[in-house]
Amino acid sequence: MNKGKELVVESLKLPKDSLLGASIITVTGNTDIFVENYKGILQYSSELILLQGKNCKIELKGKRLNIVYYTNEDMKISGVIDSVCFK
């Protein structure tokens, strides 16, 4: 990520997600995840979902994972979520 651009965004208190392309992950309990600002699905199984974020990969591990819906901008995943990892 461009440090100069990040400093400007932080100093002006602008939203990082829209200006820097940061992914937004909202977790509800251990059963639902809502992901915004991602580029694509790299891997999908009932135990692992790997997403390409704008700046990193997002790895979701669990059991009975299911993509409930997805669009070009966001998606909802349900199942038993064990971990969320950024790579």
Side-chain angles (χ1 to χ4, degrees):
M1 191 175 329
N2 183 331
K3 286 289 185 189
K5 188 174 182 181
E6 187 174 352
L7 287 172
V8 170
V9 168
E10 284 181 16
S11 66
L12 295 175
K13 303 211 184 308
L14 299 171
K16 284 186 180 183
D17 60 316
S18 59
L19 295 170
L20 297 177
S23 295
I24 300 171
I25 313 291
T26 305
V27 181
T28 305
N30 71 334
T31 58
D32 291 309
I33 292 184
F34 187 70
V35 182
E36 299 174 77
N37 296 337
Y38 73 97
K39 284 188 171 183
I41 301 167
L42 300 175
Q43 190 173 346
Y44 177 34
S45 74
S46 64
E47 295 180 348
L48 171 71
I49 297 176
L50 184 61
L51 305 174
Q52 179 64 57
K54 305 265 180 168
N55 302 313
C56 66
K57 290 185 172 99
I58 304 162
E59 181 182 77
L60 310 168
K61 289 185 178 180
K63 298 170 195 68
R64 297 184 304 280
L65 297 178
N66 180 44
I67 297 176
V68 177
Y69 74 86
Y70 68 96
T71 68
N72 288 338
E73 298 173 6
D74 59 18
M75 76 168 50
K76 181 178 179 182
I77 299 166
S78 66
V80 180
I81 298 145
D82 294 329
S83 67
V84 178
C85 185
F86 299 91
K87 299 183 173 222

